Amino acid sequence: MRIAVLAGGRSAEREVSLRSGAQCRAALEARGHQVDTVDLDLETWDRLRDGRYECVFIALHGRLGEDGTVQGMCELLSLPYTGSGVLASALCIDKTRTNQLLVAAGVPIPDFEEWDAVEGVDAAFVERVVKTYGLPLVVKPVREGSTIGLTIAGDADAVASALVLAARYDRRVLVQRLVAGTEITVGVLATPDVRVLPTLEITYEEPTYDYTAKYTPGRSHHIIPARIPRAAQERAAQLSAEAFRVLGCEGMARVDFIVDESGECWLLEVNTVPGLTDLSLLPDTARAAGIEFDELCERLVQHGLERHQGQVGP
């Protein structure tokens, strides 16, 4: 089969996307496919239109890749593609919209609000959010991933600086209550039947699970299954499947949580094109479930084809 792997792009996660794309290309070539890597640029439309590709494997992270834009391009070109469709992709990259929908569905989300950077950093606003959410609190761009632009702010000055930093990446900024506990992630596959993968606990050498911890060998560690009570593992699995359903995801997703001391699972975000590098979380959880990386990529391609042919929903 002739497959285009879309990777790179123009988001802050470009380098991670290139690494994901390289690993996906190698896996698909190992399955016998003819694979081209296509970087997202002004020539992408022409390359996909004229390349006689049978499927597009989307390995783009962040905006202009994970937000429904290239999914829409594939729809216009009538090309099968992997992962979620236009609407689910656009919803999941938008942390505010995701949170609002999941709160309405009864999913536990740490208290949050959105700040518009156009308003400028105001001392009264900083004072109010500190009073509302306590310290430390979380500040991050609404539409970025890989913890880019994220700060755990420990005092009012740090909150003000965090707002400025996050606004470099998105004028829309999320301010959220910090929940202390165990960081876990849960992979969900739907190719097409929904399968929730084992819980994975994340430990790391950095103060937070930041970009360095995620993508530097030896700076973070994956523990499968997560060292949380069985009831919390089951709760995380149930909430992951529910979030996947409510948001209309397809193919794959990775759902991130904090599990507090009481065992409650607080959902942080849903990633529709999670990292697929050699250090990423979803491939590890799939492997723990008996699905090697090349098989994972093959399943995603086959699902894209079947969806395009109308054999599976939506």
Side-chain angles (χ1 to χ4, degrees):
M1 187 184 307
R2 187 168 170 79
I3 299 173
V5 172
L6 272 181
R10 290 180 282 169
S11 81
E13 297 179 81
R14 173 179 172 80
E15 293 306 315
V16 179
S17 173
L18 288 171
R19 289 170 59 181
S20 290
Q23 179 147 298
C24 294
R25 175 174 181 165
L28 291 167
E29 286 178 336
R31 304 284 292 202
H33 299 295
Q34 182 182 351
V35 186
D36 294 332
T37 300
V38 178
D39 204 335
L40 186 66
D41 57 28
L42 294 177
E43 308 299 322
T44 301
W45 176 280
D46 293 337
R47 288 193 64 184
L48 294 182
R49 180 193 62 197
D50 301 333
R52 298 184 179 180
Y53 295 111
E54 297 167 78
C55 189
V56 176
F57 193 107
I58 298 175
L60 290 162
H61 308 309
R63 280 186 276 184
L64 299 179
E66 198 172 348
D67 61 356
T69 51
V70 298
Q71 290 79 6
M73 178 174 63
C74 290
E75 294 281 358
L76 289 170
L77 289 168
S78 193
L79 276 172
Y81 60 92
T82 58
S84 290
V86 175
L87 179 58
S89 300
L91 284 174
C92 289
I93 202 170
D94 188 317
K95 296 179 182 67
T96 298
R97 302 291 185 266
T98 294
N99 289 349
Q100 290 168 339
L101 283 169
L102 294 181
V103 165
V107 175
I109 304 287
D111 296 337
F112 68 95
E113 66 179 86
E114 185 177 306
W115 171 74
D116 189 337
V118 172
E119 300 173 1
V121 178
D122 178 80
F125 174 78
V126 171
E127 181 180 358
R128 182 181 65 76
V129 296
V130 167
K131 182 177 180 180
T132 301
Y133 303 106
L135 290 171
L137 58 78
V138 179
V139 179
K140 55 187 174 182
V142 167
R143 295 168 292 186
E144 278 293 350
S146 292
T147 62
I148 292 170
L150 178 145
T151 303
I152 297 177
D155 57 44
D157 288 342
V159 172
S161 298
L163 292 169
V164 172
L165 173 63
R168 294 177 186 170
Y169 299 97
D170 194 349
R171 57 166 275 187
R172 297 172 56 204
V173 175
L174 196 72
V175 180
Q176 192 164 35
R177 178 172 65 88
L178 176 70
V179 177
T182 303
E183 296 189 36
I184 70 166
T185 193
V186 181
V188 182
L189 296 182
T191 56
D193 296 331
V194 175
R195 180 178 181 183
V196 179
L197 302 176
T199 55
L200 182 154
E201 178 183 346
I202 306 155
T203 64
Y204 39 86
E205 307 297 327
E206 312 301 320
T208 61
Y209 188 48
D210 60 9
Y211 191 93
T212 300
K214 288 182 176 182
Y215 301 115
T216 305
R219 303 305 296 174
S220 64
H221 310 282
H222 304 167
I223 301 168
I224 306 172
R227 297 171 297 182
I228 56 176
R230 176 60 65 112
Q233 292 188 32
E234 294 173 353
R235 173 71 166 158
Q238 178 261 319
L239 290 172
S240 297
E242 178 69 1
F244 194 92
R245 182 192 65 80
V246 168
L247 297 167
C249 299
E250 298 173 80
M252 65 175 169
R254 196 194 75 229
V255 188
D256 300 335
F257 295 92
I258 290 286
V259 183
D260 66 21
E261 289 185 351
S262 73
E264 181 59 279
C265 301
W266 298 88
L267 192 147
L268 302 180
E269 59 184 84
V270 178
N271 302 271
T272 54
V273 188
L276 297 169
T277 74
D278 56 341
L279 299 177
S280 294
L281 303 167
L282 183 69
D284 269 3
T285 60
R287 195 172 296 110
I291 305 169
E292 293 299 325
F293 189 70
D294 61 336
E295 181 185 350
L296 172 65
C297 293
E298 183 76 28
R299 287 190 185 192
L300 292 168
V301 167
Q302 292 301 321
H303 172 259
L305 292 170
E306 291 170 5
R307 176 179 56 192
H308 185 73
Q309 295 163 0
Q311 296 177 26
V312 298

